[in-house]
Short mmCIF file of all heavy atoms in Angstrom, two decimals:
data_model
loop_
_atom_site.label_atom_id
_atom_site.label_comp_id
_atom_site.label_asym_id
_atom_site.label_seq_id
_atom_site.Cartn_x
_atom_site.Cartn_y
_atom_site.Cartn_z
N ILE A 347 26.48 -2.51 -9.79
CA ILE A 347 27.16 -3.16 -8.68
C ILE A 347 28.44 -2.37 -8.40
O ILE A 347 29.41 -2.46 -9.16
CB ILE A 347 27.47 -4.64 -8.99
CG1 ILE A 347 26.17 -5.39 -9.32
CG2 ILE A 347 28.18 -5.29 -7.82
CD1 ILE A 347 26.40 -6.80 -9.84
N PHE A 348 28.44 -1.57 -7.34
CA PHE A 348 29.64 -0.80 -6.99
C PHE A 348 30.75 -1.74 -6.52
O PHE A 348 31.90 -1.63 -6.94
CB PHE A 348 29.30 0.21 -5.89
CG PHE A 348 28.45 1.34 -6.36
CD1 PHE A 348 27.07 1.29 -6.24
CD2 PHE A 348 29.02 2.47 -6.92
CE1 PHE A 348 26.28 2.35 -6.67
CE2 PHE A 348 28.24 3.53 -7.35
CZ PHE A 348 26.87 3.46 -7.23
N LYS A 349 30.37 -2.62 -5.62
CA LYS A 349 31.22 -3.69 -5.12
C LYS A 349 30.32 -4.90 -4.94
O LYS A 349 29.10 -4.77 -4.94
CB LYS A 349 31.86 -3.30 -3.79
CG LYS A 349 32.86 -2.16 -3.88
CD LYS A 349 33.47 -1.87 -2.51
CE LYS A 349 34.51 -0.75 -2.60
NZ LYS A 349 35.11 -0.47 -1.27
N PRO A 350 30.88 -6.08 -4.80
CA PRO A 350 30.00 -7.24 -4.61
C PRO A 350 29.00 -7.08 -3.47
O PRO A 350 27.90 -7.63 -3.52
CB PRO A 350 30.99 -8.37 -4.32
CG PRO A 350 32.24 -7.97 -5.01
CD PRO A 350 32.30 -6.47 -4.88
N LYS A 351 29.38 -6.27 -2.46
CA LYS A 351 28.50 -6.07 -1.32
C LYS A 351 27.47 -4.96 -1.53
O LYS A 351 26.53 -4.85 -0.76
CB LYS A 351 29.31 -5.73 -0.07
CG LYS A 351 30.17 -6.85 0.48
CD LYS A 351 30.85 -6.36 1.75
CE LYS A 351 31.76 -7.45 2.32
NZ LYS A 351 32.42 -6.99 3.56
N LEU A 352 27.69 -4.11 -2.52
CA LEU A 352 26.84 -2.92 -2.68
C LEU A 352 26.17 -2.93 -4.05
O LEU A 352 26.82 -2.77 -5.08
CB LEU A 352 27.66 -1.65 -2.49
CG LEU A 352 26.87 -0.34 -2.50
CD1 LEU A 352 25.83 -0.33 -1.39
CD2 LEU A 352 27.81 0.86 -2.35
N PHE A 353 24.85 -3.09 -4.03
CA PHE A 353 24.02 -3.16 -5.24
C PHE A 353 23.10 -1.94 -5.25
O PHE A 353 22.56 -1.54 -4.22
CB PHE A 353 23.19 -4.45 -5.22
CG PHE A 353 22.26 -4.62 -6.38
CD1 PHE A 353 22.65 -5.32 -7.51
CD2 PHE A 353 20.98 -4.08 -6.36
CE1 PHE A 353 21.80 -5.49 -8.58
CE2 PHE A 353 20.11 -4.24 -7.42
CZ PHE A 353 20.53 -4.95 -8.54
N SER A 354 22.92 -1.35 -6.41
CA SER A 354 22.05 -0.17 -6.49
C SER A 354 21.11 -0.26 -7.68
O SER A 354 21.41 -0.90 -8.69
CB SER A 354 22.88 1.11 -6.60
OG SER A 354 23.45 1.24 -7.88
N ASN A 355 19.98 0.41 -7.53
CA ASN A 355 19.05 0.59 -8.64
C ASN A 355 18.60 2.03 -8.64
O ASN A 355 18.08 2.54 -7.64
CB ASN A 355 17.84 -0.33 -8.51
CG ASN A 355 16.82 -0.08 -9.61
OD1 ASN A 355 17.06 -0.40 -10.76
ND2 ASN A 355 15.69 0.54 -9.26
N THR A 356 18.79 2.71 -9.75
CA THR A 356 18.37 4.10 -9.91
C THR A 356 17.34 4.18 -11.03
O THR A 356 17.55 3.61 -12.11
CB THR A 356 19.57 5.00 -10.23
OG1 THR A 356 20.53 4.90 -9.17
CG2 THR A 356 19.15 6.45 -10.39
N SER A 357 16.24 4.87 -10.75
CA SER A 357 15.12 4.90 -11.70
C SER A 357 14.67 6.32 -11.96
O SER A 357 14.62 7.15 -11.05
CB SER A 357 13.94 4.10 -11.16
OG SER A 357 14.30 2.76 -10.87
N ILE A 358 14.34 6.58 -13.22
CA ILE A 358 13.63 7.79 -13.62
C ILE A 358 12.27 7.35 -14.15
O ILE A 358 12.19 6.52 -15.05
CB ILE A 358 14.41 8.56 -14.71
CG1 ILE A 358 15.79 8.98 -14.20
CG2 ILE A 358 13.62 9.79 -15.15
CD1 ILE A 358 16.66 9.61 -15.27
N ILE A 359 11.22 7.91 -13.56
CA ILE A 359 9.88 7.40 -13.82
C ILE A 359 8.95 8.55 -14.19
O ILE A 359 8.96 9.60 -13.57
CB ILE A 359 9.31 6.67 -12.58
CG1 ILE A 359 10.28 5.56 -12.12
CG2 ILE A 359 7.95 6.08 -12.86
CD1 ILE A 359 10.01 5.08 -10.71
N PHE A 360 8.13 8.32 -15.20
CA PHE A 360 7.07 9.24 -15.57
C PHE A 360 5.75 8.48 -15.55
O PHE A 360 5.66 7.35 -16.05
CB PHE A 360 7.30 9.82 -16.97
CG PHE A 360 6.13 10.63 -17.48
CD1 PHE A 360 5.94 11.93 -17.05
CD2 PHE A 360 5.21 10.08 -18.37
CE1 PHE A 360 4.87 12.69 -17.51
CE2 PHE A 360 4.13 10.81 -18.83
CZ PHE A 360 3.96 12.13 -18.40
N ASN A 361 4.74 9.06 -14.94
CA ASN A 361 3.41 8.45 -15.01
C ASN A 361 2.35 9.54 -15.13
O ASN A 361 2.50 10.65 -14.61
CB ASN A 361 3.13 7.55 -13.81
CG ASN A 361 3.28 8.24 -12.48
OD1 ASN A 361 4.38 8.37 -11.98
ND2 ASN A 361 2.18 8.70 -11.91
N ARG A 362 1.29 9.19 -15.84
CA ARG A 362 0.23 10.16 -16.12
C ARG A 362 -1.12 9.45 -16.10
O ARG A 362 -1.26 8.34 -16.60
CB ARG A 362 0.46 10.80 -17.49
CG ARG A 362 -0.62 11.82 -17.89
CD ARG A 362 -0.33 12.37 -19.27
NE ARG A 362 -0.49 11.33 -20.29
CZ ARG A 362 -0.06 11.43 -21.54
NH1 ARG A 362 0.62 12.49 -21.91
NH2 ARG A 362 -0.26 10.44 -22.40
N TYR A 363 -2.08 10.12 -15.49
CA TYR A 363 -3.47 9.69 -15.60
C TYR A 363 -4.28 10.88 -16.07
O TYR A 363 -4.16 11.98 -15.53
CB TYR A 363 -4.02 9.19 -14.26
CG TYR A 363 -5.50 8.90 -14.34
CD1 TYR A 363 -5.96 7.82 -15.08
CD2 TYR A 363 -6.43 9.73 -13.73
CE1 TYR A 363 -7.31 7.57 -15.20
CE2 TYR A 363 -7.78 9.48 -13.84
CZ TYR A 363 -8.22 8.40 -14.57
OH TYR A 363 -9.56 8.16 -14.69
#
Side-chain angles (χ1 to χ4, degrees):
I347 301 171
F348 289 94
K349 293 181 178 180
K351 292 183 181 181
L352 185 59
F353 178 94
S354 74
N355 176 71
T356 301
S357 303
I358 300 174
I359 305 163
F360 172 79
N361 56 278
R362 179 182 67 194
Y363 173 69

